[in-house]
Amino acid sequence: MTHPPFSPAQARAARLRIGLAPEQVVAAMAQLGLHRPVEILMCWESGAVAPSEAELFALADALWCPVPVLMDLRPRSLREHRLARGFTAERLAPRVGMDVRDYVRAENDHRWNGTDRQTLVLADALGLEPEELLRVIGRAGELDGLLRQAVEGRWKQYTTPLARLLGARERTVAQALRTLHQEHARFNERYMGHLVARSDDTRLKEIATERAAWLHDLSARFLHLVGHEPPDPV
């Protein structure tokens, strides 16, 4: 497995913030069960080598520093979210209910094949909100597609698939879909009304632009309605 993302500058800055000498940092790491010479710490801080996952976790503990700070990035991939939460694959896989080899393969291939239950446990373990979870497991496009079909057709038949996708209650999802379907219908009514009235093209283009913007933010609007997102203007 490749080394985790690591920022030498952030590691050095974290050590200096709490006023520790390199010798004190490696001593603290040794108390955590990871014995490393001072020279290794200096190599990490210079960027000559990068720490392993175990070394990254121990260094973060020794520096009283969150792991994401030492990674110096906003977690986006499944592996990055796992690292940010301080999990090894060997610890997380059994918690999710997967064989370690299957879990590691999912990380390496960027393809999640877990069951609905495993997916919900993964979200809980990594603290992922629904929108982020769908992005991490590569199913954000599925949400967009289902929502588009729901608002443009018979929304009721999409209640169960969307509830399962989000791990949400069907009643909550149904209420959200009803609202979105009504909002979409109003766009169509306005457009057809102006079309029948033979309004100028400028007004028709304005309505079409508003509808396009609404569809672009459809997932965010839906997640807000089911209680997972701050409100977005409609």
Side-chain angles (χ1 to χ4, degrees):
M1 184 174 286
T2 59
H3 288 283
F6 179 72
S7 169
Q10 290 290 355
R12 177 176 172 78
R15 177 173 64 81
L16 295 178
R17 271 197 303 271
I18 58 177
L20 290 182
E23 293 78 8
Q24 293 173 303
V25 175
V26 295
M29 292 176 64
Q31 291 179 345
L32 297 169
L34 198 68
H35 298 268
R36 296 292 185 271
V38 174
E39 291 76 16
I40 289 295
L41 175 62
M42 303 313 296
C43 286
W44 293 340
E45 289 190 2
S46 70
V49 296
S52 65
E53 289 188 8
E55 291 168 337
L56 174 65
F57 295 154
L59 180 61
D61 282 341
L63 295 175
W64 291 71
C65 178
V67 173
V69 171
L70 297 185
M71 293 166 63
D72 196 24
L73 53 74
R74 178 185 175 186
R76 297 193 63 82
S77 69
L78 178 56
R79 187 189 183 207
E80 289 170 356
H81 277 284
R82 171 176 62 79
L83 291 170
R85 286 281 172 163
F87 281 108
T88 62
E90 290 74 17
R91 280 184 57 212
L92 182 58
R95 179 166 177 169
V96 173
M98 296 182 72
D99 179 84
V100 176
R101 290 170 296 182
D102 291 336
Y103 175 82
V104 171
R105 189 179 304 113
E107 280 195 352
N108 294 338
D109 295 345
H110 302 284
R111 182 178 300 172
W112 178 255
N113 294 316
T115 64
D116 290 344
R117 176 171 176 74
Q118 289 170 335
T119 302
L120 291 176
V121 175
L122 178 75
D124 181 67
L126 299 183
L128 298 173
E129 291 295 326
E131 186 176 25
E132 187 66 25
L133 171 66
L134 294 176
R135 186 161 45 243
V136 166
I137 65 176
R139 297 179 69 179
E142 185 176 348
L143 174 63
D144 293 337
L146 287 173
L147 286 174
R148 181 70 70 94
Q149 294 174 60
V151 299
E152 293 178 347
R154 299 184 177 182
W155 62 266
K156 290 183 180 180
Q157 68 189 70
Y158 296 95
T159 300
T160 298
L162 283 165
R164 291 184 62 188
L165 186 62
L166 286 182
R169 293 185 303 173
E170 289 197 13
R171 181 178 178 180
T172 303
V173 170
Q175 291 172 340
L177 289 180
R178 182 185 295 108
T179 298
L180 292 175
H181 192 270
Q182 292 170 348
E183 291 175 358
H184 184 262
R186 284 197 290 271
F187 278 115
N188 291 338
E189 290 169 2
R190 288 169 57 202
Y191 188 87
M192 292 305 298
H194 282 280
L195 189 63
V196 170
R198 298 184 179 181
S199 300
D200 59 67
D201 289 345
T202 300
R203 185 55 187 144
L204 293 175
K205 288 179 181 178
E206 287 177 357
I207 298 173
T209 300
E210 291 174 17
R211 177 180 178 274
W214 182 86
L215 287 172
H216 180 270
D217 294 331
L218 185 57
S219 292
R221 174 74 175 143
F222 172 70
L223 290 168
H224 162 57
L225 289 172
V226 296
H228 294 303
E229 281 284 302
D232 292 321
V234 178

